[in-house]
Amino acid sequence: MKKESRGQVSLEYILIFTISLIILMVFTLPLSEESISNTLDVSDSLNVKYGMSKVAHAVKEVYGEGQGSKQTISMDSPKNIKVTAGNNYISCKLKLKSNQYKEIKEYYSSNLKKTSINLEKGENTIIVEWPVGSDNMIIHKQ
């Protein structure tokens, strides 16, 4: 008789432990999914910010060198984005996993024409140039 009651206690222990694990997973998995999503949003934002910083630096260089100068930048985009370049800043709106948008801006001083560039997911080549005889700089995708 004693062996049977020990088996029943072991079975009850395993059942309670299993139910406890299931309850723990039900509460922790949604929280971990949200934190992973937030981490990926931060990573994408930083990648886009770095790329925009490279473009802003190229605009400053071309503006400083004057007419006839040209810079080529390679920018890795985590998703399809629209980049808007204006007289004193370059910006884009990045869609986050929560369906909200985050605007990323980089400022500079130049005579760059206001324009928009659509970048595709992956590697993109951007050219910043100030043609000879032109009053304004231009930026375009290769």
Side-chain angles (χ1 to χ4, degrees):
M1 284 282 207
K2 291 189 179 200
K3 288 184 181 181
E4 289 179 18
S5 66
R6 286 185 188 174
Q8 182 179 355
V9 170
S10 295
L11 180 63
E12 288 172 355
Y13 175 74
I14 290 172
L15 214 70
I16 290 170
F17 183 71
T18 304
I19 291 171
S20 300
L21 279 178
I22 290 171
I23 291 172
L24 182 66
M25 286 188 336
V26 164
F27 289 111
T28 58
L29 282 180
L31 293 174
S32 64
E33 180 182 347
E34 184 178 335
S35 66
I36 288 171
S37 176
N38 290 341
T39 302
L40 291 174
D41 282 343
V42 169
S43 174
D44 289 348
S45 297
L46 289 174
N47 285 340
V48 170
K49 177 98 171 149
Y50 175 68
M52 303 286 266
S53 176
K54 286 178 16 179
V55 173
H57 182 70
V59 168
K60 291 175 191 175
E61 288 285 322
V62 170
Y63 186 65
E65 292 172 5
Q67 289 184 353
S69 60
K70 177 180 179 180
Q71 289 272 329
T72 303
I73 306 105
S74 178
M75 181 177 168
D76 189 33
S77 177
K79 51 182 78 171
N80 294 342
I81 57 173
K82 181 179 180 181
V83 175
T84 304
N87 192 9
N88 61 349
Y89 68 90
I90 186 166
S91 69
C92 79
K93 288 188 177 181
L94 183 66
K95 186 175 182 180
L96 304 176
K97 304 231 184 301
S98 62
N99 289 328
Q100 295 177 341
Y101 286 90
K102 179 177 183 175
E103 186 171 17
I104 299 171
K105 281 187 176 184
E106 281 291 319
Y107 292 93
Y108 52 80
S109 293
S110 76
N111 61 353
L112 185 65
K113 281 185 175 179
K114 186 169 181 156
T115 186
S116 295
I117 305 169
N118 292 317
L119 300 180
E120 296 150 8
K121 181 178 180 178
E123 196 73 25
N124 294 281
T125 303
I126 299 170
I127 299 172
V128 179
E129 62 182 324
W130 191 351
V132 176
S134 175
D135 291 336
N136 294 319
M137 297 168 44
I138 57 173
I139 184 170
H140 57 91
K141 189 176 131 182
Q142 185 178 32

Coordinates of all heavy atoms in Angstrom, one line a residue, residues 91-124:
S91 N 15.5 63.5 -43.8 CA 14.6 62.8 -42.8 C 13.9 61.6 -43.5 O 13.9 61.6 -44.8 CB 13.6 63.8 -42.3 OG 12.7 64.1 -43.3
C92 N 13.4 60.8 -42.7 CA 12.6 59.7 -43.2 C 11.7 59.3 -42.0 O 12.0 59.5 -40.8 CB 13.4 58.5 -43.7 SG 14.0 57.4 -42.4
K93 N 10.5 58.7 -42.4 CA 9.6 58.2 -41.4 C 9.7 56.6 -41.5 O 9.4 56.0 -42.5 CB 8.2 58.6 -41.7 CG 8.0 60.1 -41.4 CD 6.5 60.4 -41.5 CE 6.4 61.9 -41.1 NZ 5.0 62.3 -41.2
L94 N 10.1 56.1 -40.3 CA 10.3 54.6 -40.3 C 9.1 54.0 -39.6 O 8.7 54.4 -38.5 CB 11.6 54.3 -39.5 CG 12.0 52.9 -39.3 CD1 12.3 52.3 -40.7 CD2 13.2 52.8 -38.4
K95 N 8.5 53.0 -40.2 CA 7.3 52.4 -39.6 C 7.8 51.3 -38.6 O 8.6 50.4 -39.0 CB 6.4 51.7 -40.7 CG 5.2 51.1 -40.1 CD 4.3 50.6 -41.2 CE 3.0 50.1 -40.7 NZ 2.1 49.6 -41.7
L96 N 7.3 51.4 -37.4 CA 7.7 50.5 -36.3 C 6.8 49.3 -36.3 O 5.7 49.3 -37.0 CB 7.7 51.2 -35.0 CG 8.5 52.4 -34.9 CD1 8.3 53.1 -33.5 CD2 10.0 52.1 -35.1
K97 N 7.1 48.3 -35.6 CA 6.3 47.0 -35.5 C 4.9 47.3 -34.8 O 4.0 46.6 -35.0 CB 7.1 46.0 -34.8 CG 8.4 45.7 -35.4 CD 8.6 44.2 -35.6 CE 10.0 43.9 -36.1 NZ 10.4 44.5 -37.4
S98 N 4.8 48.4 -34.1 CA 3.6 48.7 -33.4 C 2.7 49.6 -34.3 O 1.7 50.2 -33.9 CB 3.9 49.5 -32.1 OG 4.5 50.7 -32.4
N99 N 3.0 49.6 -35.6 CA 2.3 50.4 -36.6 C 2.4 51.9 -36.4 O 1.5 52.7 -36.9 CB 0.9 49.9 -36.8 CG 0.8 48.6 -37.5 OD1 1.7 48.3 -38.3 ND2 -0.2 47.8 -37.1
Q100 N 3.3 52.4 -35.6 CA 3.5 53.8 -35.4 C 4.7 54.2 -36.3 O 5.4 53.3 -36.7 CB 3.8 54.1 -33.9 CG 2.7 53.8 -33.0 CD 3.0 54.1 -31.5 OE1 4.2 54.2 -31.2 NE2 2.0 54.3 -30.7
Y101 N 4.9 55.5 -36.5 CA 6.0 56.0 -37.3 C 6.9 56.8 -36.4 O 6.5 57.5 -35.5 CB 5.5 56.9 -38.4 CG 4.8 56.1 -39.5 CD1 3.4 55.8 -39.5 CD2 5.5 55.6 -40.6 CE1 2.8 55.1 -40.5 CE2 4.9 54.9 -41.6 CZ 3.6 54.6 -41.5 OH 3.0 53.9 -42.5
K102 N 8.2 56.6 -36.7 CA 9.2 57.4 -36.0 C 10.0 58.2 -37.1 O 10.5 57.6 -38.0 CB 10.2 56.5 -35.3 CG 11.3 57.2 -34.6 CD 12.2 56.3 -33.8 CE 13.3 57.2 -33.1 NZ 14.1 56.4 -32.3
E103 N 10.0 59.5 -36.9 CA 10.7 60.4 -37.8 C 12.2 60.5 -37.4 O 12.5 60.9 -36.2 CB 10.1 61.7 -37.9 CG 10.7 62.6 -39.0 CD 9.9 63.8 -39.3 OE1 9.1 64.2 -38.5 OE2 10.2 64.4 -40.3
I104 N 13.1 60.3 -38.3 CA 14.5 60.4 -38.0 C 15.0 61.5 -38.9 O 14.8 61.5 -40.1 CB 15.2 59.0 -38.4 CG1 14.6 57.9 -37.5 CG2 16.7 59.2 -38.2 CD1 15.1 56.6 -37.9
K105 N 15.7 62.5 -38.3 CA 16.3 63.6 -39.0 C 17.7 63.8 -38.7 O 18.2 63.5 -37.6 CB 15.6 64.9 -38.5 CG 14.2 65.2 -39.1 CD 13.7 66.5 -38.7 CE 12.4 66.8 -39.4 NZ 11.9 68.2 -39.1
E106 N 18.4 64.3 -39.7 CA 19.8 64.7 -39.6 C 20.0 66.1 -40.2 O 19.5 66.3 -41.3 CB 20.8 63.7 -40.3 CG 21.1 62.4 -39.5 CD 21.9 62.7 -38.3 OE1 22.9 63.4 -38.4 OE2 21.6 62.0 -37.3
Y107 N 20.6 67.0 -39.5 CA 20.7 68.4 -39.9 C 22.1 68.7 -40.6 O 23.1 68.1 -40.2 CB 20.4 69.3 -38.8 CG 19.0 69.3 -38.3 CD1 18.6 68.5 -37.3 CD2 18.0 70.1 -38.9 CE1 17.3 68.4 -36.8 CE2 16.7 70.0 -38.5 CZ 16.4 69.2 -37.4 OH 15.1 69.2 -37.0
Y108 N 22.1 69.6 -41.5 CA 23.3 70.1 -42.1 C 23.0 71.4 -42.8 O 21.9 71.9 -42.8 CB 23.8 69.1 -43.2 CG 22.7 68.7 -44.2 CD1 22.4 69.5 -45.3 CD2 22.0 67.5 -44.1 CE1 21.4 69.2 -46.2 CE2 21.1 67.1 -45.0 CZ 20.8 68.0 -46.0 OH 19.8 67.6 -46.9
S109 N 24.0 72.1 -43.3 CA 23.9 73.4 -44.0 C 24.3 73.1 -45.4 O 25.4 72.6 -45.7 CB 24.7 74.5 -43.4 OG 24.2 74.8 -42.1
S110 N 23.4 73.5 -46.4 CA 23.8 73.3 -47.8 C 22.8 74.0 -48.7 O 21.9 74.7 -48.2 CB 23.8 71.8 -48.2 OG 22.5 71.4 -48.3
N111 N 23.0 73.9 -50.0 CA 22.0 74.5 -51.0 C 21.4 73.3 -51.7 O 21.2 73.4 -52.9 CB 22.7 75.5 -51.9 CG 23.8 74.8 -52.7 OD1 24.2 73.7 -52.5 ND2 24.4 75.6 -53.6
L112 N 21.1 72.2 -51.1 CA 20.6 71.0 -51.7 C 19.1 71.3 -52.0 O 18.4 71.8 -51.2 CB 20.7 69.9 -50.7 CG 20.3 68.5 -51.2 CD1 21.2 68.0 -52.3 CD2 20.3 67.5 -50.0
K113 N 18.7 70.9 -53.3 CA 17.3 71.0 -53.7 C 16.5 70.0 -52.8 O 16.9 68.9 -52.5 CB 17.2 70.6 -55.1 CG 17.6 71.6 -56.1 CD 17.2 71.1 -57.5 CE 17.5 72.1 -58.6 NZ 17.1 71.5 -59.9
K114 N 15.3 70.4 -52.6 CA 14.3 69.5 -51.9 C 14.0 68.4 -52.8 O 13.5 68.6 -53.9 CB 13.1 70.3 -51.4 CG 12.2 69.4 -50.5 CD 11.2 70.2 -49.8 CE 10.4 69.2 -49.0 NZ 9.7 69.7 -47.9
T115 N 14.1 67.2 -52.4 CA 13.9 66.0 -53.2 C 13.5 64.8 -52.3 O 13.8 64.8 -51.1 CB 15.1 65.7 -54.1 OG1 14.7 64.6 -55.0 CG2 16.3 65.3 -53.3
S116 N 13.0 63.8 -52.9 CA 12.7 62.5 -52.2 C 13.3 61.4 -52.9 O 13.3 61.4 -54.1 CB 11.2 62.3 -52.1 OG 10.6 63.3 -51.3
I117 N 13.8 60.4 -52.1 CA 14.4 59.2 -52.7 C 13.7 58.0 -52.0 O 13.6 58.0 -50.8 CB 15.9 59.2 -52.4 CG1 16.6 60.4 -52.9 CG2 16.5 57.9 -53.0 CD1 18.0 60.5 -52.4
N118 N 13.3 57.1 -52.8 CA 12.7 55.8 -52.3 C 13.8 54.8 -52.2 O 14.4 54.4 -53.3 CB 11.6 55.3 -53.2 CG 10.4 56.2 -53.1 OD1 10.0 56.7 -52.1 ND2 9.8 56.5 -54.3
L119 N 14.1 54.3 -51.0 CA 15.1 53.3 -50.8 C 14.5 52.0 -50.6 O 13.5 51.9 -49.9 CB 16.0 53.7 -49.6 CG 16.8 55.0 -49.7 CD1 17.6 55.2 -48.4 CD2 17.7 55.0 -50.9
E120 N 15.0 50.9 -51.2 CA 14.5 49.6 -51.0 C 15.2 48.9 -49.9 O 16.3 49.3 -49.5 CB 14.7 48.8 -52.4 CG 13.9 49.4 -53.5 CD 14.5 49.2 -54.8 OE1 15.5 48.4 -54.9 OE2 14.0 49.8 -55.8
K121 N 14.6 47.8 -49.4 CA 15.3 47.0 -48.4 C 16.6 46.5 -48.9 O 16.7 46.0 -50.0 CB 14.3 45.9 -48.0 CG 14.9 45.0 -46.9 CD 13.9 44.0 -46.5 CE 14.5 43.1 -45.4 NZ 13.5 42.1 -44.9
G122 N 17.6 46.6 -48.1 CA 18.9 46.1 -48.5 C 19.9 47.2 -48.8 O 19.7 48.4 -48.4
E123 N 20.9 46.9 -49.6 CA 21.9 47.9 -50.0 C 21.5 48.9 -51.0 O 20.9 48.5 -52.0 CB 23.1 47.1 -50.5 CG 24.4 47.9 -50.5 CD 25.0 48.1 -49.2 OE1 24.8 47.3 -48.2 OE2 25.8 49.1 -49.1
N124 N 21.7 50.2 -50.8 CA 21.4 51.2 -51.7 C 22.6 52.1 -51.9 O 23.3 52.4 -50.9 CB 20.2 52.1 -51.2 CG 18.9 51.3 -51.1 OD1 18.3 51.1 -52.1 ND2 18.6 50.8 -49.9

